[in-house]
């Protein structure tokens, strides 16, 4: 039985005041699913302290949106996995499509980050997904399989199956266009088949314009184990509804 996970990727949004308001809303959620939030780095201590000081009785975890592949050294502007662990992060997103497209992260770099994250005991959330052009060319499954294979080559199948995978079609992120439940399920199933028997326990999340209005149908699919939510995670009320549906 895979425990559903709903992850909120805040991206580069918010300020001290809005973050405080969002946390207050999050602490009220109360749901069966595990909830995880991914604030910008500088707000991680604030969120961690608020959760630590609360008496929430549901699982709420903290993660980072990105991390350096290096342990330490002269890498101006970077944050290491060890630092994230120091601040209580249980998860780290690696290979988000915005990192791949805006910052040029390659499959190999993403695999390196994945290995670094796992080596300190943090669970990576590996994002994969195709562009619209790749989908139109019928390359969706090939692209997604190659993104996952690059990580398997680096760390091995067992380690990948211990992580969380997020299927996020690039054309559905922040666009308001969600993959249909059938389209998403087809890719989730292909990912699970790629992982084989070990992948039965791996949580595979869907991401891309998830809202309360479309979450239920997505969560009904047998291979969708939760969601990675961007825009809708900035509204505590909307995010709470999604968490309760998972
Ligand atoms: P979105 O973002 O929900 O705003 O489409 C999802 C993501 O980028 O993880």
């Amino acid at each position: 039985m895979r425990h559903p996970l709903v992850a909120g990727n805040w991206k580069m949004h918010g300020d001290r005041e809005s973050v405080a308001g969002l946390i207050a809303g999050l602490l009220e959620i109360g749901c069966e699913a595990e909830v995880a939030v991914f604030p910008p780095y500088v707000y991680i201590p604030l969120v961690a302290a608020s959760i630590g000081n609360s008496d929430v009785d549901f699982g709420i975890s903290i993660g980072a949106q990105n991390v350096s592949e290096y342990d330490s050294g002269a890498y101006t502007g970077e944050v290491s996995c060890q630092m994230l662990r120091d601040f209580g992060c249980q998860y780290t997103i690696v290979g988000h499509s915005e990192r791949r497209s805006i910052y040029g992260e390659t499959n190999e770099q993403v695999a390196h980050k994945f290995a670094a994250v796992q080596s300190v005991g943090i669970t990576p959330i590996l994002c994969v997904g195709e562009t619209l052009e790749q989908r139109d060319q019928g390359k969706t499954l090939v692209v997604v399989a190659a993104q996952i294979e690059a990580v398997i080559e680096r760390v091995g199948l067992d380690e990948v199956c211990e992580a969380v995978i997020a299927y996020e079609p690039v054309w559905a992120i922040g666009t308001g266009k969600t993959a249909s439940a059938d389209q998403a399920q087809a890719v989730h199933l292909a990912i699970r088949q790629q992982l084989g028997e070990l992948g039965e326990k791996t949580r595979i999340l869907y991401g891309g314009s998830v809202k309360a209005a479309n979450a239920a149908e997505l969560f009904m699919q047998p291979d969708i184990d939760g969601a990675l939510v961007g825009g809708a995670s900035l509204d505590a009320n909307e995010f709470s509804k999604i968490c309760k549906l998972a």
Side-chain angles (χ1 to χ4, degrees), residues 124 130 136 180 243:
E130 81 288 2
D136 288 345
S180 70
C243 294

Side-chain angles (χ1 to χ4, degrees), residues 6 178 180-182 206 209-222 224-227 238 241-246:
V6 181
T178 332
S180 70
D182 287 347
Y206 171 78
S209 299
V210 175
K211 304 177 204 62
N214 57 27
E217 208 193 343
L218 289 161
F219 295 156
M220 264 166 17
Q221 305 306 310
I224 298 184
D225 307 312
E238 180 79 6
K241 284 186 195 159
I242 298 171
C243 294
K244 287 179 173 144
L245 289 165

Side-chain angles (χ1 to χ4, degrees), residues 64-77:
Q65 301 170 15
N66 179 40
V67 71
S68 170
E69 61 268 52
Y70 303 112
D71 293 342
S72 66
Y75 300 105
T76 302

Side-chain angles (χ1 to χ4, degrees), residues 193-230:
Q193 285 169 342
Q194 181 181 5
L195 301 179
E197 215 174 294
L198 283 175
E200 282 304 314
K201 63 172 188 227
T202 309
R203 289 185 290 181
I204 308 177
L205 314 181
Y206 171 78
S209 299
V210 175
K211 304 177 204 62
N214 57 27
E217 208 193 343
L218 289 161
F219 295 156
M220 264 166 17
Q221 305 306 310
D223 290 293
I224 298 184
D225 307 312
L228 179 52
V229 185

